[in-house]
Amino acid sequence: MSQINDFVVRFANVNGTGSASANLLFAKSIFRMGVPVSAKNIFPSNIQGLPTWYEVRVSERGYLGRRDQIDLCVSVNPQSMAEDVRSVRPGGYFLYDSTKPLHEELVRDNITYLGVPMMETMIREYADPRQRLLFKNVMYVGALSALLNIEFGVLEQLINEQFATKQKLVPSNMKALQLGVDHVHDHLPYPLPFTVERRDLVGDAIMIDGNSACGLGCVYGGATVAAWYPITPSTSVAEAFQNYCEDMRVAPDGTHNYAIVQAEDELAAIGMAIGANWNGARAFTATSGPGVSLMNEFLGLAYFAEIPVVLIDVQRVGPSTGMPTRTQQGDLMIAAYASHGDTKHPLLLPSTPTECFSMTADAFDLADRLQTPVMVMTDLDLGMNDHMTAPFTWNDDRKLDLGKVLSADELDAMKSYGRYLDVDGDGIPYRTIPGTHPSKGAYVARGTSRTRMAAYTERSDDYQDNMDRLSLKWNTAKSLVPAPEVVKANTPTADGMVFFGTTTQSAWEARDLLREQGFDLDALRLLAFPFGQEVADFIAAHERLFVVEQNRDAQMRQLLTMELNIDPARLIPILNYDGKPITADHIVSMMKPHLENVPSA
């Protein structure tokens, strides 16, 4: 029985051999055939020489999370071949370079081996050693197109687009593709039991990585200043911002209406961003966990001095250096309460590149309205992988929301200006931009205790008054951050699921799988911290909730418990922290024993 548009292919390569573009070509060809596809790149932290994997999931039903079972492994890396053979499900397929015989220890009797003499063919057909290395990858894409019924014309179109400015490279790439097709036609049974069939299931979706989306969101959000220090996996956020600025922020006379500064370290980077925001610009920085650790002191300053700033945290595996090219949601606690003393920071939790774009743009308005740091919490999976996502939209009539900023006329009309006065009862004072008025509105932005008029003080009542106002502002933030997404079960249930960020795709799939097995649950997708009333109401309405996240210590569960004063026993952690994106199978395997032992109401 043929399996249409429902399988997983894993590519096992060596880092630095040019396989990434060939693997992406394979994923894009299926996307161009109108079939939902999801690609995950699992790569080492060194420049080259170590194993790298690229998993492509094809799903007629539109499931975009990782899946545990590998249907076909394309292995061209002897270092990882034993592991690659083990990864294939019983009944699956293993495609390998048969230039050399396969070692007997690598032979399983419950999978099918597909030998393609890649290097032997490359040596025969190409004289240049570099070409042999690169085109070996293109050859296996050609072989896959024959094995899986991928339309050759789609691959041809993609190659022509890829080398639109280097047309002389097209013939050699097409030749390598055809070599793979010809070998399958002449030597292997085809097509396989699982194949690709053209559909119209992707609509107007695009494929883009989250870091590029964040960079574009910064431009649309009005950012003109970026201060950053390179760190995996956030570096490409600043690079994307620069590329988009070069297209959109250069005046007709050649003036660059933006500034990008590579600082000497992360602490300097956020200090520059805070200074630029205080001076009236919209500025941001991008980093990962180790950078957030270093930025804690300045995050506390911005919180206490009430200066807006946006930080994009592309999370990776920690602590310390950890696994810098693996994904995790392990920065929640340090980001939410960054700095010493009593601090709390709004966090935005996108789950797609589309939300990376929109939430990053919104973060600047939110930071200005609240006059505080706002962090966009993505991760390596979302940031560095290409995802199928809805096209970006923007209202051209939208205006930047600078919040409570006094104009020169407003200052003129005031007898006196108190920087930290709460005149509206929402905890948010009015601020000024330096230079707005020649004599009014000046204040000193510093991290020491102050009066409502911004004068230095060490009086206990002044300090407590200020901290109470900041708590009131935090309550105001609950109504300004995005509300959660709630999906109800078909029948009332005492059980619910809670998830966020890149757990989302696998969590939705896991919910479907559980429903097919008789367990229907309500679901809540968190979009932000602090938690508004909708989150509190959802949790109060359920006896038991499964909190799905990708870290060891159940950090989101901790936040929910502390902020909403919940009995921890009601929140069951569903965790994954191996550095790979979580799968629906894993979620189901952890939830099902609880559901079977204590049936839902």
Side-chain angles (χ1 to χ4, degrees):
M1 181 178 176
S2 181
Q3 190 174 317
I4 307 297
N5 299 334
D6 184 17
F7 57 87
V8 176
V9 178
R10 169 184 277 185
F11 297 88
N13 301 101
V14 179
N15 201 34
T17 58
S19 60
S21 60
N23 298 340
L24 183 58
L25 174 67
F26 172 79
K28 283 186 174 181
S29 67
I30 298 171
F31 179 72
R32 286 286 181 90
M33 288 179 66
V35 180
V37 65
S38 173
K40 308 292 186 187
N41 192 17
I42 303 169
F43 59 99
S45 57
N46 70 333
I47 296 175
Q48 64 180 22
L50 288 181
T52 181
W53 293 273
Y54 188 84
E55 295 179 6
V56 177
R57 182 175 184 186
V58 181
S59 175
E60 178 108 344
R61 298 178 66 181
Y63 293 132
L64 301 179
R66 272 187 75 233
R67 204 188 73 187
D68 287 335
Q69 295 289 309
I70 305 299
D71 297 290
L72 167 62
C73 182
V74 180
S75 179
V76 292
N77 182 9
Q79 296 179 62
S80 65
M81 195 165 283
E83 178 180 349
D84 299 331
V85 167
R86 290 193 299 270
S87 72
V88 180
R89 65 164 176 82
Y93 291 78
F94 187 80
L95 192 154
Y96 67 101
D97 185 353
S98 60
T99 300
K100 295 181 179 180
L102 199 64
H103 196 282
E104 61 181 14
E105 293 181 356
L106 301 175
V107 177
R108 286 172 51 189
D109 59 9
N110 60 351
I111 63 175
T112 301
Y113 290 83
L114 304 170
V116 179
M118 302 175 202
M119 188 50 68
E120 176 186 319
T121 305
M122 294 299 102
I123 292 172
R124 183 179 70 244
E125 299 291 340
Y126 298 94
D128 183 275
R130 180 62 178 166
Q131 283 189 325
R132 292 171 178 171
L133 188 65
L134 294 174
F135 291 139
K136 178 178 71 172
N137 304 317
V138 181
M139 182 182 177
Y140 66 61
V141 174
L144 290 172
S145 72
L147 290 165
L148 301 174
N149 271 347
I150 296 173
E151 296 173 11
F152 193 81
V154 172
L155 290 166
E156 185 176 20
Q157 180 184 8
L158 286 168
I159 284 180
N160 275 286
E161 291 175 6
Q162 182 178 349
F163 299 107
T165 59
K166 299 178 181 179
Q167 281 293 311
K168 64 180 182 179
L169 298 178
V170 171
S172 54
N173 277 272
M174 292 305 303
K175 176 183 175 181
L177 273 179
Q178 191 63 54
L179 288 168
V181 173
D182 292 343
H183 179 81
V184 171
H185 287 175
D186 293 341
H187 300 284
L188 296 174
Y190 71 95
L192 297 181
F194 44 90
T195 56
V196 182
E197 191 173 284
R198 180 173 283 277
R199 293 286 189 267
D200 186 15
L201 299 173
V202 303
D204 57 357
I206 60 175
M207 286 190 75
I208 189 172
D209 64 275
N211 282 358
S212 295
C214 285
L216 187 61
C218 290
V219 174
Y220 275 77
T224 56
V225 177
W228 66 294
Y229 184 78
I231 181 173
T232 301
S234 71
T235 295
S236 55
V237 173
E239 293 172 343
F241 177 72
Q242 178 174 343
N243 291 336
Y244 289 126
C245 282
E246 289 172 354
D247 286 339
M248 303 184 217
R249 287 272 164 80
V250 179
D253 64 359
T255 302
H256 285 55
N257 298 317
Y258 62 93
I260 301 173
V261 182
Q262 181 175 326
E264 63 267 31
D265 55 36
E266 288 89 349
L267 184 60
I270 196 167
M272 293 174 184
I274 292 169
N277 276 283
W278 175 81
N279 205 41
R282 281 193 159 182
F284 75 96
T285 189
T287 191
S288 192
V292 176
S293 297
L294 292 171
M295 293 176 180
N296 261 235
E297 183 177 356
F298 265 146
L299 285 167
L301 170 65
Y303 171 83
F304 199 59
E306 298 181 70
I307 303 170
V309 68
V310 171
L311 189 158
I312 300 166
D313 180 7
V314 190
Q315 299 167 88
R316 70 189 206 188
V317 173
S320 189
T321 303
M323 292 195 293
T325 58
R326 297 289 191 269
T327 196
Q328 199 170 76
Q329 296 172 314
D331 297 351
L332 295 175
M333 295 296 289
I334 192 175
Y337 303 121
S339 193
H340 54 278
D342 295 321
T343 54
K344 292 182 180 181
H345 307 289
L347 311 178
L348 301 181
L349 308 169
S351 65
T352 66
T354 304
E355 290 182 346
C356 284
F357 168 73
S358 62
M359 285 189 175
T360 299
D362 293 343
F364 290 94
D365 281 354
L366 186 62
D368 277 350
R369 290 184 69 182
L370 291 170
Q371 300 174 31
T372 198
V374 172
M375 294 181 234
V376 181
M377 306 296 290
T378 78
D379 56 35
L380 184 146
D381 176 27
L382 180 54
M384 294 191 70
N385 285 322
D386 286 307
H387 298 262
M388 190 180 97
T389 192
F392 303 165
T393 59
W394 189 259
N395 181 1
D396 290 333
D397 295 328
R398 173 174 167 173
K399 305 297 183 184
L400 302 183
D401 185 353
L402 301 181
K404 296 180 178 180
V405 178
L406 294 171
S407 66
D409 290 341
E410 289 170 322
L411 286 167
D412 261 335
M414 300 173 68
K415 289 184 178 181
S416 62
Y417 166 62
R419 170 65 181 98
Y420 298 107
L421 281 170
D422 178 14
V423 299
D424 301 322
D426 60 3
I428 305 172
Y430 280 82
R431 65 185 176 110
T432 61
I433 304 299
T436 298
H437 193 281
S439 59
K440 290 184 177 181
Y443 68 97
V444 176
R446 59 187 172 194
T448 53
S449 183
R450 66 292 176 106
T451 67
R452 296 178 182 183
M453 306 302 289
Y456 173 79
T457 180
E458 292 189 21
R459 287 177 55 90
S460 298
D461 55 345
D462 286 329
Y463 170 79
Q464 187 168 330
D465 175 69
N466 188 68
M467 294 301 289
D468 289 343
R469 182 183 56 77
L470 288 171
S471 291
L472 178 59
K473 182 165 76 169
W474 182 249
N475 286 330
T476 299
K478 295 176 182 178
S479 64
L480 297 179
V481 298
E485 178 183 3
V486 178
V487 176
K488 291 286 190 177
N490 294 327
T491 57
T493 173
D495 292 325
M497 292 177 64
V498 179
F499 47 88
F500 63 97
T502 50
T503 64
T504 297
Q505 298 294 346
S506 292
W508 287 130
E509 182 181 0
R511 183 172 178 267
D512 287 349
L513 292 173
L514 287 167
R515 185 165 59 246
E516 291 169 2
Q517 299 174 46
F519 304 102
D520 202 2
L521 288 84
D522 294 335
L524 175 107
R525 179 168 77 94
L526 295 166
L527 275 72
F529 174 76
F531 307 125
Q533 190 60 44
E534 298 95 332
V535 178
D537 291 344
F538 182 90
I539 292 177
H542 295 85
E543 296 176 9
R544 184 175 56 175
L545 296 117
F546 299 91
V547 184
V548 184
E549 51 187 313
Q550 298 186 97
N551 56 68
R552 185 195 68 181
D553 293 342
Q555 295 185 28
M556 182 59 76
R557 177 176 176 268
Q558 291 185 56
L559 283 176
L560 290 165
T561 300
M562 291 187 294
E563 294 293 322
L564 300 179
N565 195 26
I566 300 168
D567 178 4
R570 293 174 55 208
L571 302 182
I572 300 172
I574 305 299
L575 307 176
N576 176 73
Y577 47 93
D578 63 1
K580 300 175 185 176
I582 196 169
T583 67
D585 299 323
H586 177 77
I587 296 171
V588 170
S589 69
M590 294 191 71
M591 287 178 59
K592 197 172 176 183
H594 296 280
L595 294 168
E596 289 173 336
N597 290 337
V598 184
S600 300

